[in-house]
Amino acid sequence: MMDTKLTRTASTIALACALTFSGSALAATSGSHYSIGTEGVEAGSPPPPGMHYRVYNSYYDTDKLTDNDGNAVPVDFDLSVVAQAHRFVNVTDAKLLGAHVSYNIIVPLVKKDISISGAFDRSSDFEVGDIILEPLGLFWYNKQFDGILAIAAVAPTGDYSSDKPESVGLGYWSGLITAGGTYYFDEDRSWSFSALTRTLWHGHQDDTGIRPGSEFMVEGGIGKNMMFDGQWIVRPGINYAASWQISDDSKDGEGTLASERKQVYGLGAEINVMYLPWLLQADLRYLTEFDAENTSEGDSITLTITKSF
C-alpha cells in the first residue's frame, strides 16, 4: 500500500547559504513528496475489497548531509521529522481490466526540527503537510501474485516558505504513479517477495520558481507468514528501498539549475502482527540509509496500524 511522504530536509535557499563555503553540490531542491522506508514486506499486496483505515507513525533522524560523491558535507547539521499520516482506502467491487477499482486519501501531520550551524539555529514546525489524493487504483488478486497500479496527485496544502527551512510543505504539486506487486513462492502464500515502484513528476515550487527533477523509487522486502492458533498471523521480514532523481532540477528562463541528482538506498527489518477476528494489524519497521548523494542519510522507524471493516 502507498504510504505517505515525509518532508525531510531544509529548503533550497537555507542549504545554499550553509554550504557555499564547502564547495559541495546539492540538488537545487531537497526533500521529496514520498519517503522511502514506510513500506516493505508485501508492499505490493493491496488490501482486500472493503473500507480500510491506516495510520502511519514515522520518525526520521539524521545528522549527515552528503555531496555529489557521497561524502559527508563538513557542516553541523541535525534534522528530525515526526509524522502521523492518516489514510482512508475504499476498495470497491467495480472492475476495470480485471482489477478491483479503489481510491484513497492520505492526510499527514508533520513535525520537523532542523538546524545547520552558521546558517540558522534550530527551527521547528508542526502542521498538516501536503495531502495525497489517489482517485484511481487498480488491484489484482491472484493465488500467488498480487498487483497494484495507481495514479495520484500531491497537493501543496502544507505551509511552505523559501526562508523557513522548517516548513512541512514543499510548495509544489506532484504527480505520482505507483506500480508493482508481491509474488508468493508457495500456494499457502507464506513466503513472499515484493517490489513496489513510485515515479514522481513535479511542478514549479512557490517562491523559488524551481521545478525539482523527477524521481523514481522502489521498495519491498522478503518475509514469511506464520499462523498461530488460527487467529494470529505473524510475519517477520527484511525490507529494502532505493530512490533516484532521474532528471535535473530546472527553472524557467534559466534551464538546468542543478545537475547534481539525489540518490539514497536503504535496508532494514520489520515484523507484522495481524489479529484476524478484529481485522487489525500492526507493522513495526526499521530502515537505515546508505550510499546517499546530494541529500541526507539517516534512519527511520515506522509503526503502521491498519483496521479493516
Side-chain angles (χ1 to χ4, degrees):
M1 295 176 64
M2 186 179 70
D3 185 27
T4 188
K5 55 89 185 168
L6 296 179
T7 54
R8 305 190 312 184
T9 40
S11 69
T12 303
I13 291 178
L15 280 176
C17 293
L19 302 174
T20 297
F21 71 90
S22 71
S24 67
L26 287 180
T29 56
S30 297
S32 174
H33 271 142
Y34 186 84
S35 290
I36 61 173
T38 46
E39 299 286 354
V41 176
E42 296 192 11
S45 291
M51 292 291 299
H52 309 272
Y53 167 67
R54 192 169 225 196
V55 57
Y56 302 84
N57 303 279
S58 299
Y59 174 72
Y60 177 81
D61 182 72
T62 180
D63 59 3
K64 181 180 180 181
L65 282 172
T66 61
D67 61 18
N68 197 46
D69 296 317
N71 299 317
V73 176
V75 63
D76 187 8
F77 166 74
D78 186 64
L79 170 69
S80 64
V81 181
V82 178
Q84 183 179 81
H86 300 269
R87 182 180 184 188
F88 304 88
V89 185
N90 184 22
V91 184
T92 72
D93 290 324
K95 294 287 191 70
L96 179 63
L97 302 176
H100 283 260
V101 174
S102 72
Y103 55 90
N104 74 89
I105 183 173
I106 301 173
V107 180
L109 300 174
V110 183
K111 183 179 187 299
K112 181 161 69 172
D113 293 274
I114 183 171
S115 66
I116 298 180
S117 63
F120 48 85
D121 296 327
R122 177 166 294 277
S123 302
S124 178
D125 197 13
F126 174 63
E127 294 187 38
V128 175
D130 294 343
I131 293 175
I132 298 177
L133 305 169
E134 189 175 275
L136 178 62
L138 300 179
F139 296 165
W140 288 269
Y141 309 95
N142 295 289
K143 194 166 187 178
Q144 289 183 241
F145 180 79
D146 294 331
I148 294 176
L149 179 63
I151 58 173
V154 188
T157 51
D159 180 64
Y160 169 77
S161 175
S162 61
D163 60 359
K164 291 179 59 181
E166 71 274 19
S167 297
V168 300
L170 292 183
Y172 54 83
W173 284 84
S174 292
L176 172 62
I177 293 180
T178 299
T182 299
Y183 176 74
Y184 295 90
F185 294 94
D186 55 292
E187 293 186 357
D188 292 333
R189 294 169 68 94
S190 60
W191 283 100
S192 67
F193 175 79
S194 62
L196 192 66
T197 67
R198 324 277 188 180
T199 307
L200 292 95
W201 295 269
H202 308 301
H204 289 96
Q205 188 176 52
D206 293 344
D207 292 357
T208 69
I210 296 170
R211 181 191 293 274
S214 300
E215 300 171 272
F216 179 79
M217 305 168 183
V218 61
E219 58 187 339
I222 185 167
K224 167 69 172 178
N225 285 308
M226 298 176 288
M227 178 77 75
F228 295 93
D229 298 329
Q231 294 183 320
W232 296 88
I233 296 177
V234 178
R235 186 189 68 225
I238 302 297
N239 60 76
Y240 69 89
S243 175
W244 301 271
Q245 184 177 339
I246 56 176
S247 68
D248 295 338
D249 298 326
S250 62
K251 188 173 183 179
D252 286 346
E254 298 183 21
T256 297
L257 188 63
S259 58
E260 294 77 20
R261 301 182 182 184
K262 298 174 289 186
Q263 73 170 40
V264 66
Y265 302 89
L267 186 66
E270 66 179 80
I271 186 165
N272 180 284
V273 178
M274 182 174 185
Y275 185 55
L276 295 174
W278 292 359
L279 298 179
L280 181 68
Q281 64 178 310
D283 192 302
L284 182 63
R285 177 178 301 106
Y286 168 78
L287 186 87
T288 184
E289 296 176 338
F290 59 93
D291 285 351
E293 294 179 5
N294 299 309
T295 188
S296 63
E297 182 179 293
D299 302 279
S300 64
I301 298 176
T302 302
L303 173 63
T304 305
I305 299 174
T306 305
K307 178 67 176 77
S308 301
F309 300 92

